[in-house]
Each structure stands twice: as C-alpha cells, then as structure tokens.
Amino acid sequence: MPVREDIFWVTCPRCGEKFYCDNQLRHSSIKLMCPKCRHRFLDSDSPEIRE
C-alpha cells in the first residue's frame, strides 16, 4: 500500500484517539476535532504527530 502524502496523523490530547487529517490543516490556526470525544484542539497540542 503506498504512503499517502496528503494526510497526517494526530493523537487527541484528551482521549488518546489517533486519527488522520488533511495536510492543509497542518500548521494552521484551524482546530481539529476528535471523532471519538469531539474535543477541539490545534495540531500543535497533539502529543503525537506522524507526517
């Protein structure tokens, strides 16, 4: 399976859920929303990011 370069993976700082986002949201001022707990946070607040 080829590696996708248009997404990055984040971890929710509240519940620990890992999910992917579009690269256009990386380093933006737009808050991400966890699909599990609905917590909104900036990518810089994620305890783990995989690009």
Side-chain angles (χ1 to χ4, degrees):
M1 177 187 261
V3 176
R4 293 191 55 180
E5 296 183 11
D6 58 341
I7 63 169
F8 67 101
W9 288 83
V10 295
T11 301
C12 176
R14 180 179 284 168
C15 73
E17 178 77 5
K18 293 181 179 171
F19 61 98
Y20 64 89
C21 299
D22 189 284
N23 262 344
Q24 292 181 5
L25 298 174
R26 184 78 169 110
H27 303 296
S28 72
S29 60
I30 299 170
K31 290 189 174 184
L32 311 174
M33 186 174 72
C34 175
K36 184 176 180 182
C37 73
R38 304 288 190 228
H39 177 62
R40 293 183 178 269
F41 62 97
L42 293 173
D43 64 329
S44 58
D45 295 329
S46 175
E48 180 183 2
I49 296 176
R50 281 190 318 162
E51 298 189 69

